[in-house]
Each structure stands twice: as C-alpha cells, then as structure tokens.
Amino acid sequence: MAGDDLHAWLDREPGMISVYAGPLGAPPVWTRHAEATHYAASTMKLAVLAALHRVAEAGDLDLDAPVEVVNSFTSARPGAPPYSCRRAYDNDGEVWDRLGGQAPLRWLAERMIVRSSNLATNLVIEHVGRPAIAEVWRLVGARHSVTGRGIEDFAAREAQITNLVTAADLAALLDAIATGATRPGPLASPGGCAAMLDVLCAQQIRQDIAEGLPADTRLAHKNGWVRGVRHGAAVVYPDDADAYLLVVCTTDDRTDARDDVDARQLVADISRRVWQARHDLTILTPTGSPAAPPPSRR
C-alpha cells in the first residue's frame, strides 16, 4: 500500500491517528499528525527509563542498590497528600509481591518496561525526580511531550498536570537510545543506551506494533493503553533490512470510542504495512507531501 493509500485509509478511521516511520538517525519517510499531542499512557515510561540511567551515570544513584518498595508517593500537585496506586490496575504482580521489602532500581526499571508495572514506575520516578525526566525530553529535542506526574496521581490530574507525548517526540527519544548504543549521544553512554535497548527488547507485552511483524522479529518496544488510547513505539530490527523507527499514537475521544481490541489491531495493521515496505521505506512517503524532519536535538 503506497503512501497516498495509507493516508486515505487512515482518514477513514475515527479519532486522531499519529504516525512516525523512518530509518534510525535520519529524517522520517512518513509522518501523519506526528506533532499532535496524546495522553501518554505507559509510553511515558520510556522517558523514566532514560532519566534513571542518566542519574545513575552521574553518580547520584546506584542501579543495583536495594530501595524500599512502598506504595506512597509525592504528588506533583503542591500541597496535596501522598498518593498510591492500585494493584488491580497493574500488569505485574511480582513488584507488588515485594511490597514492604526491597528491590534494586535496575530490577524495578526492567519490570516498569517488560511488564509495564505502575508500582515500579512510581518508585523509579520517586527516586529520579520529575526534573530529570523533563531533562530527557529536552535533550532529545521534544517539542510537546511532558511527564508531569506519576501514575494515579489524581490530585495532580485534577490540577491539569498530565503526561503528554507526540509520535515525533517518542521517535526522537527512541532514536537517541538506539543510536546512542553505538556512538556517544545526548542521553547516556553507549553502555547505558545498550542496557536500555536490552530491556526494551525483553518486552513481554508484545502487542500492537509487534503483532504486525513476524513472530521472531527483534524490536525494542514500549506500548501504552487506557480507555480510548492505544500507542506503540518501537525500533524494529529486520534480519534482511536496516532498522527502522515506528511510532503510532491513537486517541478516540468519542463516547462510543473503538474498543481497545480494534485500536490494537489498527496499530498492528499499520505496522504490517510498514514492515512490507522495509526494503524501501520511501514508498511510504505520500506524493507531494515530504515527511517533516524529526525534532532537532539541543
């Protein structure tokens, strides 16, 4: 399916569908509403992961030192009481099983990604701090993305403090991690970026983008979903072509919004079409509509 057909297809779908596709370390070949903001859901955990490695490399944290596993966190809303998160809304019972005990930050960061643990995420945020996460977004040149609060910080949400991403900003962050594993980059040392890639490649929730690929395809992946929202962000590593970035963000605010199963399938369908073009991604570029360059790094 050529670029023009892709746009026509997605124009018929409800809601906001943003796409960024292109090779690593180069401008995209296909963008669609790539600068539109979406509620981040769990894709914000990518920035939390990068912030943790930056803080550790600065010598301010030891990734292997045990920390207390608690369920009480500082709200982003000034003056608000501590908040907590609920086990019923988490995907990872292993972190909850350690509640009241200790766990290394490295392990918590892994669970935050591979099982999308909310409890682990809030624990990591508590140790690195929101300014460190904001610095990650700044370093990759993000234009609109922000990680303003932890998960289930309802007092902050009521104060309009939220977490936002764009497809372009998520692509810039993934690009910095992936290219930073082979040469010095803005986020962390090559060793630190390689460690982040290893965690992302160990993702156990292989949905949406992963479902549009052959089963054994290597990819560094993080997804996120809540009602009306389904996102996937990945670096895909084909055996027979160069690696490429694919980010798809979908938001459907209608009262009769598409079911998550349908949104997940939509992202998988986009992934499948990009995979089919992996030997020449330029065929995805719509006629007369060159893809915009990625955010410039500062």
Side-chain angles (χ1 to χ4, degrees), residues 1-218:
M1 183 180 285
D4 294 336
D5 293 331
L6 281 169
H7 272 283
W9 164 49
L10 294 179
D11 283 344
R12 294 191 294 271
E13 295 291 332
M16 173 60 71
I17 303 169
S18 300
V19 182
Y20 181 111
L24 284 174
V29 297
W30 176 31
T31 62
R32 184 182 194 276
H33 304 311
E35 299 288 351
T37 56
H38 298 257
Y39 176 66
S42 287
T43 60
M44 51 83 83
K45 296 168 185 176
L46 284 167
V48 179
L49 177 69
L52 176 64
H53 279 267
R54 283 184 52 77
V55 171
E57 289 194 356
D60 296 326
L61 285 176
D62 181 352
L63 292 178
D64 296 309
V67 299
E68 300 295 325
V69 179
V70 299
N71 188 19
S72 179
F73 309 104
T74 306
S75 175
R77 181 175 182 171
Y83 71 97
S84 60
C85 52
R86 293 166 289 179
R87 183 167 187 160
Y89 287 88
D90 209 326
N91 296 302
D92 188 12
E94 288 196 25
V95 181
W96 287 90
D97 289 344
R98 297 200 185 191
L99 192 62
Q102 294 184 325
L105 282 167
R106 188 188 305 275
W107 182 82
L108 290 169
E110 178 183 352
R111 304 308 297 183
M112 172 180 73
I113 298 298
V114 303
R115 293 301 307 169
S116 206
S117 168
N118 293 339
L119 181 58
T121 302
N122 285 342
L123 285 162
V124 175
I125 292 173
E126 197 79 1
H127 284 275
V128 303
R130 290 183 299 277
I133 304 169
E135 178 67 0
V136 165
W137 288 121
R138 187 191 71 80
L139 286 169
V140 301
R143 295 190 177 110
H144 306 292
S145 297
V146 60
T147 305
R149 59 174 173 83
I151 298 170
E152 296 190 67
D153 184 354
F154 297 126
R157 186 177 70 179
E158 290 170 359
Q160 307 303 309
I161 301 170
T162 191
N163 300 323
L164 299 173
V165 292
T166 71
D169 291 345
L170 285 170
L173 177 50
L174 277 175
D175 188 73
I177 294 172
T179 60
T182 58
R183 61 177 184 265
L187 287 182
S189 68
C193 287
M196 287 187 260
L197 271 184
D198 286 344
V199 172
L200 291 167
C201 287
Q203 175 64 256
Q204 295 176 18
I205 305 175
R206 290 178 65 90
Q207 298 176 351
D208 44 73
I209 287 178
E211 291 170 309
L213 306 172
D216 59 349
T217 304
R218 179 173 179 252

Side-chain angles (χ1 to χ4, degrees), residues 244-275:
Y244 62 87
L245 290 157
L246 176 61
V247 180
V248 183
C249 298
T250 74
T251 299
D252 189 347
D253 293 327
R254 300 173 304 153
T255 55
D256 59 341
R258 68 165 68 85
D259 186 272
D260 181 63
V261 172
D262 295 331
R264 178 174 150 184
Q265 184 61 55
L266 175 68
V267 178
D269 289 342
I270 294 171
S271 177
R272 185 174 300 106
R273 285 161 171 78
V274 176
W275 171 264

